[in-house]
Amino acid sequence: MDNPDRNLEKKVMLEDLLKLKKLERPDEAFWENFDKQLQHKILERLVCKPSILSQIPHFLGIICKPAISLSALALLMMGVVGNNYRSIVYSEPQIMIKGDILYGQENSLSKLASVKKNYIKSNIVTDGLNNNSHSSMSISPSSKGVRFSGNIDLPSLGKVVASNRIY
Amino acid sequence: MNISETITKPLISTSEVRSLEASEDMLWVQKVQAGEVIVFDKLVKKYRERLYSVVYNLTSNREDTADLTQEVFIKAFRSINKFKGKSSFFTWIYRIAVNTTISHLKKNKLRHFFSFETIQEEGASTEVLDVLCSKITSEKSLFLKELQERLNEALQSLSIPHRTVIVLYEVEGLSHHEIAQVMKSSEGTVRSRLHYAKQQLQVLLKDYLK
């Protein structure tokens, strides 16, 4: 029998501790079940060789992976472009100008986008609006009125009202 | 005095045992290759505990271990005709076990939980337990549970290559050369990984190394 006092003197090494891992093992009953399961699995694999049809999902997976990546890329691009597009067309605030001054200019305005922009910059938007923020301004050619929208920095709603004097 | 020194040396060396095993394995493999499929059972019975131990100590999960060990034998059975005997069957099947386990660990690196085997208190290693238990004041079963947890946690904290080397060398008793063959790396790499892994474990298990 082991003397506890002698055991206290003994030094436990790392190697000894790791050897204890060998004690962690299943009992005999486990191996019976293990063998049965293994035989069953081997037989199953021998009998049921993978058919071509069963391989289809695997190959689809290979094909679909780049397709999914491309779709994700396309969505991302849409997001980026859409965001820019939104800043041009849908950015608020939108100001509708349906004045006599512009009505007569409609045909000539719809010819050239840059002319439209410059025209609005120089003739319509003057008081109270920050000219630097008009770069994304656009005009809808289909509309009778001149509609411009963009990242317009309106200091207050009063300024928008003030711009109505050009009607 | 170290406990390792008190364990008596075996009469036959490990390399001699391996050599005998290799020739017996080769005979069985040839029979399986010739169509005597039933002989494969002998190989299963011979290696199932050892391979189970390798997989278990790499995963620390008993449920995964049973499935993975079976998977290893299925893979070996399916490709036994490709085995030409350039290496021993022993290193060949250990390589399958290690590779299967490593790919499982990589695939499930986010799903990580332990489930431990029961400790079978018998054999030479119980002497270590006696020494450890003589130094504690708590109940033995509680201490063993805690020790098991700490050992497994410490092993799992190592990287996969370091864990593999320490399990194969310290737990399974493979030589540097055999581990190098199993892991397809140089003996130098095995030695340096072993050294680093031991250093890490010394720190993690310092409470028990007194």
Side-chain angles (χ1 to χ4, degrees):
Chain A
M1 204 176 142
D2 260 3
N3 183 355
D5 295 334
R6 253 182 65 189
N7 282 342
L8 281 168
E9 290 166 18
K10 288 177 182 172
K11 194 181 176 191
V12 177
M13 306 294 283
L14 177 67
E15 291 75 11
D16 302 322
L17 274 184
L18 290 169
K19 293 265 182 304
L20 290 176
K21 290 288 290 163
K22 271 185 172 287
L23 302 180
E24 290 179 52
R25 56 175 190 263
D27 52 19
E28 276 305 308
F30 168 85
W31 293 115
E32 281 174 33
N33 193 34
F34 179 90
D35 289 344
K36 277 181 196 167
Q37 278 186 344
L38 179 62
Q39 278 176 358
H40 181 75
K41 280 183 182 176
I42 288 177
L43 277 172
E44 205 176 59
R45 303 275 176 105
L46 280 174
V47 174
C48 312
K49 281 189 176 177
S51 65
I52 295 170
L53 282 173
S54 70
Q55 297 290 308
I56 289 174
H58 173 70
F59 286 114
L60 274 177
I62 294 166
I63 296 163
C64 287
K65 269 178 192 167
I68 290 165
S69 308
L70 285 173
S71 308
L73 185 69
L75 278 171
L76 186 73
M77 292 296 287
M78 286 278 282
V80 172
V81 173
N83 219 12
N84 289 340
Y85 182 71
R86 189 168 174 253
S87 71
I88 295 165
V89 179
Y90 296 106
S91 295
E92 285 182 354
Q94 293 188 346
I95 303 166
M96 291 297 295
I97 304 158
K98 292 176 183 174
D100 292 330
I101 299 165
L102 287 174
Y103 237 81
Q105 310 279 344
E106 190 191 346
N107 290 333
S108 59
L109 276 172
S110 60
K111 280 179 187 168
L112 201 66
S114 59
V115 175
K116 291 173 200 172
K117 269 191 170 183
N118 288 333
Y119 184 84
I120 293 165
K121 269 186 184 176
S122 56
N123 294 292
I124 303 169
V125 186
T126 50
D127 276 344
L129 297 176
N130 180 5
N131 281 337
N132 292 333
S133 62
H134 297 157
S135 57
S136 61
M137 200 158 38
S138 68
I139 300 163
S140 167
S142 59
S143 169
K144 278 193 172 185
V146 177
R147 179 192 178 116
F148 68 95
S149 57
N151 297 323
I152 302 164
D153 181 22
L154 290 171
S156 68
L157 194 64
K159 298 286 182 187
V160 181
V161 175
S163 68
N164 283 343
R165 62 189 159 89
I166 60 168
Y167 271 49
Chain B
M1 186 167 63
N2 293 341
I3 293 162
S4 309
E5 290 166 16
T6 63
I7 299 167
T8 50
K9 284 186 179 177
L11 295 169
I12 185 165
S13 70
T14 317
S15 58
E16 284 170 326
V17 174
R18 294 274 195 267
S19 173
L20 287 169
E21 275 186 349
S23 44
E24 185 186 49
D25 290 348
M26 199 58 214
L27 199 72
W28 288 345
V29 168
Q30 282 167 347
K31 282 185 177 177
V32 178
Q33 286 173 336
E36 275 187 72
V37 180
I38 197 80
V39 180
F40 189 74
D41 279 352
K42 288 185 180 179
L43 291 165
V44 172
K45 284 201 164 60
K46 185 174 178 178
Y47 285 105
R48 61 185 186 185
E49 281 95 347
R50 286 188 242 179
L51 295 181
Y52 184 93
S53 174
V54 172
V55 178
Y56 171 72
N57 288 314
L58 288 176
T59 59
S60 292
N61 186 304
R62 57 186 291 197
E63 283 81 20
D64 289 350
T65 303
D67 288 341
L68 284 168
T69 313
Q70 285 173 349
E71 195 58 40
V72 170
F73 283 116
I74 292 166
K75 280 182 182 175
F77 183 74
R78 290 174 78 171
S79 50
I80 201 156
N81 285 326
K82 292 176 195 165
F83 178 73
K84 304 292 177 203
K86 284 176 187 171
S87 63
S88 64
F89 178 78
F90 163 80
T91 48
W92 184 71
I93 202 158
Y94 263 67
R95 193 181 305 146
I96 296 175
V98 167
N99 290 342
T100 306
T101 313
I102 289 173
S103 48
H104 166 82
L105 288 169
K106 284 180 179 170
K107 225 183 279 178
N108 299 285
K109 57 184 169 188
L110 296 175
R111 184 185 68 87
H112 198 76
F113 56 90
F114 302 151
S115 67
F116 301 134
E117 272 299 345
T118 42
I119 297 175
Q120 313 280 341
E121 287 183 65
E122 57 192 46
S125 293
T126 48
E127 196 183 344
V128 185
L129 282 180
D130 290 337
V131 175
L132 284 165
C133 291
S134 66
K135 293 174 183 176
I136 56 149
T137 49
S138 59
E139 200 183 320
K140 190 181 177 184
S141 60
L142 283 174
F143 171 74
L144 284 181
K145 199 169 178 284
E146 187 202 294
L147 176 63
Q148 187 182 26
E149 277 178 14
R150 290 286 297 275
L151 270 173
N152 280 286
E153 275 171 10
L155 274 176
Q156 293 302 316
S157 71
L158 298 175
S159 73
I160 296 173
H162 289 101
R163 198 188 314 158
T164 310
V165 169
I166 204 99
V167 165
L168 292 179
Y169 188 81
E170 291 295 348
V171 186
E172 302 306 318
L174 269 69
S175 67
H176 295 114
H177 176 69
E178 285 167 337
I179 298 169
Q181 279 191 317
V182 169
M183 296 185 77
K184 284 194 172 175
S185 58
S186 69
E187 277 187 54
T189 308
V190 172
R191 281 175 202 276
S192 77
R193 280 177 180 167
L194 193 60
H195 179 72
Y196 179 80
K198 278 186 179 180
Q199 274 186 331
Q200 296 285 102
L201 291 175
Q202 291 273 5
V203 176
L204 292 163
L205 299 166
K206 63 178 186 297
D207 293 346
Y208 300 96
L209 304 172
K210 287 172 185 170

